[in-house]
Amino acid sequence: MRALILGITGQDGSYLAELLLEKGYEVHGLIRRSATGNTRNIEPLLGRLTLHRGDLADATSLYRVVRTVAPRELYNEADQDHVGWSFDAPGYSYEITGAAVGRLLEVVRQVDPTIRVFQPCSSNMFGRAVETPQTEETPFRPQSPYACAKVLAYVLARHYREAYGMFVATGIFYNHESPRRPEEYVTRKVTKAAARIKAGLQQTLALGDLGARIDWGYAREYMEAAWSIMQQPRPDDYIIATGEAHSVREWVEAAFEMAGLRADDHVTVDERLLRPASNTLLVGDASKARKAFGFEPKVRFRELVRMMVEADMKALGVAR
């Protein structure tokens, strides 16, 4: 089985590459140019997969790579996926996270419409949700440019599925974290700060809304779910979530506790970090995925926090 992963160097793409290699796949990845290099997450895999140059913004490169690789499965893990950034760069977010999905699907339709495509979507599409927990039937009420772009990606996926009979499946992923999470995301920002404060490299951490409650899961498990979605007999849409919500404050307190610190001694609130619009409580009902392929998250909240804190402390050579 041959697979092509767009966004292979990111958190999700790198876990997915590991998973597919373990399953005996021939794995190819699309990689875009970066001034500082961006292969850190896949360094141990470089001799076992094939990388191709390209960019979601460039239809020519997408056409070339899809045609050259001729994958049986294509996973689009590439986009501008930071909600905060999307307020500052909305046009780029609309283009890369939303419109590029239509560009990609049209390339697949023209090259080989039998290729199975996985398109990740986001719980942020529900925004100011009309119900909790959310299901696959809950209406979308996006509250950020990123969320609006993901709604477009979702609609495009369904359009190509229904209009052309293509296998285009989506996973509506709730927040999923790991030690590979970039440092600008709040979870990693917190765990790295706790490790740095423990090491004496910084004294305080400024955050925005500590009261926001979030459904957090483990990224590798969500990539296992993505693969399972692609093995179903028919393409469909599935919520992937833990069904549990914890506040940012809980994450902060747990992370600092695991580093042997008191959060109240180091964490401050900076109102400049608050977003122009916010979501209501987003908690996912993953019963459809559970029934279809047995999805059941194993790594829960405190274990996930511990995993990330320990990784950041180890990277700095700090003992608990």
Side-chain angles (χ1 to χ4, degrees):
M1 184 72 79
R2 186 181 302 125
L4 172 60
I5 304 173
L6 312 187
I8 195 170
T9 60
Q11 171 188 258
D12 291 2
S14 62
Y15 278 120
L16 182 58
E18 289 178 358
L19 176 69
L20 296 183
L21 287 169
E22 290 169 5
K23 293 181 179 297
Y25 278 64
E26 175 186 328
V27 176
H28 295 252
L30 183 73
I31 184 169
R32 64 185 175 90
R33 185 180 181 278
S34 169
T36 57
N38 60 351
T39 59
R40 180 178 60 184
N41 286 335
I42 58 170
E43 287 291 342
L45 309 178
L46 289 180
R48 302 169 57 198
L49 47 77
T50 304
L51 298 179
H52 305 263
R53 294 177 178 177
D55 196 297
L56 276 178
D58 180 19
T60 303
S61 66
L62 294 178
Y63 185 89
R64 171 180 49 79
V65 172
V66 172
R67 187 171 182 179
T68 300
V69 174
R72 298 317 310 144
E73 295 178 3
L74 189 158
Y75 298 82
N76 180 26
E77 298 298 334
D79 63 7
Q80 190 302 102
D81 65 350
H82 194 283
V83 175
W85 265 93
S86 76
F87 286 103
D88 295 317
Y92 179 77
S93 300
Y94 299 141
E95 173 65 20
I96 296 302
T97 304
V101 174
R103 188 157 47 239
L104 173 64
L105 292 174
E106 183 60 22
V107 165
V108 171
R109 187 181 76 85
Q110 294 189 27
V111 173
D112 181 359
T114 69
I115 296 171
R116 292 192 169 203
V117 179
F118 177 77
Q119 174 59 45
C121 292
S122 170
S123 61
N124 281 275
M125 298 189 304
F126 297 121
R128 300 196 68 78
V130 299
E131 60 184 3
T132 301
Q134 295 84 46
T135 72
E136 290 80 2
E137 304 304 318
T138 300
F140 299 142
R141 296 183 64 192
Q143 297 295 304
S144 68
Y146 165 75
C148 291
K150 278 297 188 184
V151 171
L152 174 57
Y154 174 89
V155 172
L156 286 165
R158 295 200 69 167
H159 168 65
Y160 274 80
R161 181 198 308 166
E162 296 170 358
Y164 302 111
M166 292 167 58
F167 190 108
V168 186
T170 72
I172 303 174
F173 289 155
Y174 282 62
N175 290 56
H176 46 292
E177 316 297 321
S178 78
R180 299 179 190 176
R181 196 56 142 157
E183 296 166 15
E184 59 190 339
Y185 290 81
V186 67
T187 50
R188 184 77 194 289
K189 183 178 181 180
V190 169
T191 60
K192 185 165 185 179
R196 286 178 55 82
I197 291 170
K198 184 70 172 181
L201 299 176
Q202 72 182 71
Q203 296 300 316
T204 61
L205 170 64
L207 296 172
D209 184 6
L210 296 182
R213 297 177 64 204
I214 299 171
D215 186 330
W216 276 302
Y218 178 36
R220 181 180 169 90
E221 291 184 343
Y222 285 36
M223 292 305 99
E224 292 171 354
W227 177 81
S228 295
I229 289 171
M230 289 282 271
Q231 311 316 307
Q232 299 307 300
R234 292 180 300 277
D236 207 342
D237 310 304
Y238 297 91
I239 281 179
I240 304 299
T242 70
E244 298 178 1
H246 296 270
S247 69
V248 174
R249 183 180 299 279
E250 288 179 79
W251 183 283
V252 170
E253 291 176 347
F256 275 74
E257 174 192 330
M258 291 171 188
L261 302 166
R262 272 175 34 89
D264 289 345
D265 295 336
H266 303 280
V267 178
T268 61
V269 174
D270 185 343
E271 293 188 357
R272 292 173 297 178
L273 298 176
L274 297 175
R275 291 171 180 165
S278 61
N279 298 325
T280 53
L281 177 60
L282 299 181
V283 178
D285 178 355
S287 58
K288 181 178 176 180
R290 187 177 305 114
K291 182 177 180 181
F293 50 87
F295 173 74
E296 189 64 49
K298 301 179 182 63
V299 175
R300 295 294 183 170
F301 178 76
R302 287 190 65 84
E303 184 179 352
L304 180 59
V305 179
R306 184 181 305 281
M307 178 191 303
M308 294 176 64
V309 169
E310 290 179 349
D312 281 324
M313 293 182 70
K314 181 179 179 181
L316 292 176
V318 180
R320 291 182 61 193

